Amino acid sequence: MLDGSGAVHQTGQELMIAETDADVGQVAVEAASEVLAFPITTLWRYSEAEDAFIAVARSAGSKSALGRANADEQVVEERVPADELPGWESFQSGGIRVYDDLTDDETTPLASGMVAPLGEYGLLVTGRTDPQAFDWTDEDLCRVLATNTEAALVRAGRERELQRQHDRLDEFVSVVSHDLRNPLQVVMARLDTYREHGGDEHLDVAERN
C-alpha cells in the first residue's frame, strides 16, 4: 500500500493525462478526499475578467457539507467574488495558509481548513469538520498535490491552445484549397486546349488564373 506521499505522486500521473480543467479538478479533489483524508475539497479557478473564483470541481464531501441532495451532482459554474473567498490572501501571496479553528465562522462548514494556491490559475481549498485537524505532514502533502495540479492545469491549457491553432490551420488550409481549386482547373483546361488547338488567348487566360 502506498503511503500518503507515494499516493500523491501516483495521483500526479493521473493528473498529467487529464484532458480538461474539470477533469484535472476532479482528480485533484478526489485525491484530497480519498488519499489525504481531506473530505471537503473544492478547486476554484480565478477569472481575472470577472475578478471572481469559479468552482471547477468539488469532492462528494464538499457537496454534502453544502447540503446538496445529490453528492454526484456536477458543479454548475458557481462564482464567488475574489475578495469574498476564504484564502484570497493565499492566492495573492502564493503561499499555503492553514486555519486551525473556524468554528466561529458561520460562512463555512469547515472547522479547520487549508488553502493552497495553484499559481495564477486559482486555489485548492480543503478542510475537515474537526478543529486543529492538520499537521506539517498534511501541509507538505497538500503542497505536493497543489504543485502537481497546477502543472496539469498548465499542460491542459497549452494542449487546448495547440488544438485551437491546429483547428485554425485546418480551416486555413481548407479555405486556401477551395480558393485555389477553381483557378487551377481553369489553367489546366486552357493548357490542354492550347496543346490541342493552339491559340495564345488560352495562355493569357491561364496566366491570369
Short mmCIF file of all heavy atoms in Angstrom, two decimals, residues 2 24 58 86 90 92 106 114 123 129 135 138 142 147 153 156 170 173 177 184 186 188 198:
data_model
loop_
_atom_site.label_atom_id
_atom_site.label_comp_id
_atom_site.label_asym_id
_atom_site.label_seq_id
_atom_site.Cartn_x
_atom_site.Cartn_y
_atom_site.Cartn_z
N LEU A 2 0.54 2.22 -0.80
CA LEU A 2 1.31 3.43 -0.87
C LEU A 2 1.06 4.29 0.35
O LEU A 2 -0.05 4.36 0.87
CB LEU A 2 0.93 4.23 -2.13
CG LEU A 2 1.31 3.61 -3.47
CD1 LEU A 2 0.71 4.43 -4.59
CD2 LEU A 2 2.81 3.51 -3.63
N VAL A 24 -9.03 17.61 -14.51
CA VAL A 24 -7.92 17.83 -13.57
C VAL A 24 -8.47 18.11 -12.18
O VAL A 24 -8.01 17.55 -11.17
CB VAL A 24 -7.04 19.01 -14.04
CG1 VAL A 24 -6.03 19.39 -12.96
CG2 VAL A 24 -6.31 18.66 -15.33
N ARG A 58 -15.81 19.81 -7.06
CA ARG A 58 -16.00 19.63 -5.62
C ARG A 58 -15.95 18.14 -5.29
O ARG A 58 -16.44 17.31 -6.06
CB ARG A 58 -17.35 20.19 -5.17
CG ARG A 58 -17.44 21.70 -5.11
CD ARG A 58 -18.74 22.10 -4.43
NE ARG A 58 -18.97 23.53 -4.42
CZ ARG A 58 -18.44 24.37 -3.54
NH1 ARG A 58 -17.65 23.90 -2.60
NH2 ARG A 58 -18.71 25.66 -3.60
N PRO A 86 -12.65 32.67 1.18
CA PRO A 86 -11.59 32.42 2.15
C PRO A 86 -10.34 31.90 1.43
O PRO A 86 -10.41 30.98 0.62
CB PRO A 86 -12.19 31.34 3.07
CG PRO A 86 -13.68 31.50 2.91
CD PRO A 86 -13.89 31.93 1.50
N SER A 90 -4.12 33.92 0.37
CA SER A 90 -3.21 32.86 -0.08
C SER A 90 -2.95 32.96 -1.57
O SER A 90 -1.82 32.78 -2.04
CB SER A 90 -3.80 31.48 0.27
OG SER A 90 -2.98 30.44 -0.21
N GLN A 92 -3.07 35.66 -3.36
CA GLN A 92 -2.25 36.85 -3.60
C GLN A 92 -0.80 36.63 -3.20
O GLN A 92 0.12 37.07 -3.90
CB GLN A 92 -2.82 38.05 -2.84
CG GLN A 92 -4.15 38.55 -3.38
CD GLN A 92 -4.66 39.75 -2.62
OE1 GLN A 92 -4.79 39.71 -1.41
NE2 GLN A 92 -4.92 40.84 -3.34
N GLU A 106 -19.39 31.43 10.57
CA GLU A 106 -20.67 30.87 10.12
C GLU A 106 -20.77 30.76 8.60
O GLU A 106 -21.73 30.20 8.08
CB GLU A 106 -21.81 31.74 10.64
CG GLU A 106 -21.91 31.76 12.16
CD GLU A 106 -23.04 32.64 12.65
OE1 GLU A 106 -23.69 33.28 11.79
OE2 GLU A 106 -23.29 32.68 13.87
N MET A 114 -7.46 24.41 4.93
CA MET A 114 -6.16 24.68 4.33
C MET A 114 -6.40 25.16 2.90
O MET A 114 -7.24 24.63 2.19
CB MET A 114 -5.30 23.40 4.32
CG MET A 114 -3.85 23.64 3.93
SD MET A 114 -2.88 22.10 3.84
CE MET A 114 -3.27 21.34 5.41
N LEU A 123 -7.22 28.24 -6.74
CA LEU A 123 -6.99 27.76 -5.38
C LEU A 123 -7.54 26.35 -5.19
O LEU A 123 -8.56 25.99 -5.78
CB LEU A 123 -7.69 28.66 -4.36
CG LEU A 123 -7.16 30.07 -4.18
CD1 LEU A 123 -8.17 30.90 -3.37
CD2 LEU A 123 -5.81 30.06 -3.47
N THR A 129 -14.19 18.78 9.34
CA THR A 129 -15.21 19.31 10.25
C THR A 129 -14.77 19.29 11.70
O THR A 129 -15.56 19.59 12.59
CB THR A 129 -16.52 18.51 10.10
OG1 THR A 129 -16.23 17.12 10.30
CG2 THR A 129 -17.13 18.71 8.73
N ASP A 135 -1.51 18.79 10.42
CA ASP A 135 -0.14 18.95 10.93
C ASP A 135 0.78 19.25 9.75
O ASP A 135 0.34 19.40 8.62
CB ASP A 135 0.31 17.69 11.69
CG ASP A 135 0.26 16.42 10.83
OD1 ASP A 135 0.33 16.54 9.58
OD2 ASP A 135 0.15 15.32 11.40
N ASP A 138 0.49 16.97 6.67
CA ASP A 138 -0.66 17.30 5.82
C ASP A 138 -0.35 18.48 4.91
O ASP A 138 -0.70 18.48 3.73
CB ASP A 138 -1.88 17.63 6.68
CG ASP A 138 -2.39 16.43 7.46
OD1 ASP A 138 -2.32 15.32 6.92
OD2 ASP A 138 -2.85 16.62 8.60
N CYS A 142 -0.32 18.40 0.89
CA CYS A 142 -1.20 19.32 0.16
C CYS A 142 -0.39 20.16 -0.82
O CYS A 142 -0.84 20.42 -1.94
CB CYS A 142 -1.94 20.21 1.15
SG CYS A 142 -3.21 21.24 0.38
N THR A 147 1.02 21.46 -6.34
CA THR A 147 2.04 21.64 -7.39
C THR A 147 1.73 20.77 -8.60
O THR A 147 1.81 21.23 -9.75
CB THR A 147 3.43 21.29 -6.83
OG1 THR A 147 3.74 22.17 -5.74
CG2 THR A 147 4.50 21.43 -7.90
N LEU A 153 -2.85 21.67 -14.93
CA LEU A 153 -3.69 22.73 -15.50
C LEU A 153 -2.94 23.52 -16.56
O LEU A 153 -3.50 23.88 -17.60
CB LEU A 153 -4.16 23.67 -14.38
CG LEU A 153 -5.16 23.06 -13.40
CD1 LEU A 153 -5.33 23.97 -12.19
CD2 LEU A 153 -6.51 22.83 -14.07
N ALA A 156 -2.82 21.25 -19.63
CA ALA A 156 -4.12 21.19 -20.30
C ALA A 156 -4.39 22.47 -21.07
O ALA A 156 -4.93 22.44 -22.19
CB ALA A 156 -5.23 20.95 -19.27
N ASP A 170 -6.17 24.04 -40.00
CA ASP A 170 -7.01 23.20 -40.85
C ASP A 170 -8.01 24.05 -41.63
O ASP A 170 -8.24 23.81 -42.83
CB ASP A 170 -7.77 22.18 -40.00
CG ASP A 170 -6.92 20.97 -39.65
OD1 ASP A 170 -5.82 20.85 -40.23
OD2 ASP A 170 -7.34 20.17 -38.80
N VAL A 173 -6.15 25.94 -44.39
CA VAL A 173 -5.80 25.05 -45.50
C VAL A 173 -7.04 24.74 -46.34
O VAL A 173 -6.98 24.70 -47.57
CB VAL A 173 -5.16 23.75 -44.97
CG1 VAL A 173 -5.03 22.72 -46.08
CG2 VAL A 173 -3.80 24.04 -44.35
N SER A 177 -7.32 25.78 -50.16
CA SER A 177 -7.52 24.70 -51.15
C SER A 177 -8.73 24.99 -52.02
O SER A 177 -8.69 24.81 -53.25
CB SER A 177 -7.71 23.36 -50.43
OG SER A 177 -6.56 23.02 -49.71
N LEU A 184 -6.96 26.75 -60.73
CA LEU A 184 -6.07 25.71 -61.23
C LEU A 184 -6.77 24.84 -62.27
O LEU A 184 -6.15 24.42 -63.26
CB LEU A 184 -5.57 24.84 -60.07
CG LEU A 184 -4.49 25.47 -59.18
CD1 LEU A 184 -4.18 24.58 -58.00
CD2 LEU A 184 -3.21 25.73 -60.00
N VAL A 186 -9.08 25.88 -64.26
CA VAL A 186 -9.13 26.69 -65.48
C VAL A 186 -7.80 26.65 -66.20
O VAL A 186 -7.73 26.49 -67.44
CB VAL A 186 -9.52 28.15 -65.15
CG1 VAL A 186 -9.38 29.02 -66.40
CG2 VAL A 186 -10.93 28.22 -64.61
N MET A 188 -5.45 24.31 -66.11
CA MET A 188 -5.22 23.01 -66.72
C MET A 188 -6.07 22.83 -67.98
O MET A 188 -5.60 22.30 -69.00
CB MET A 188 -5.54 21.90 -65.71
CG MET A 188 -4.65 21.90 -64.47
SD MET A 188 -2.89 21.84 -64.87
CE MET A 188 -2.79 20.24 -65.66
N GLY A 198 -3.89 25.14 -80.06
CA GLY A 198 -3.15 26.38 -80.14
C GLY A 198 -4.02 27.57 -79.71
O GLY A 198 -5.14 27.40 -79.24
#
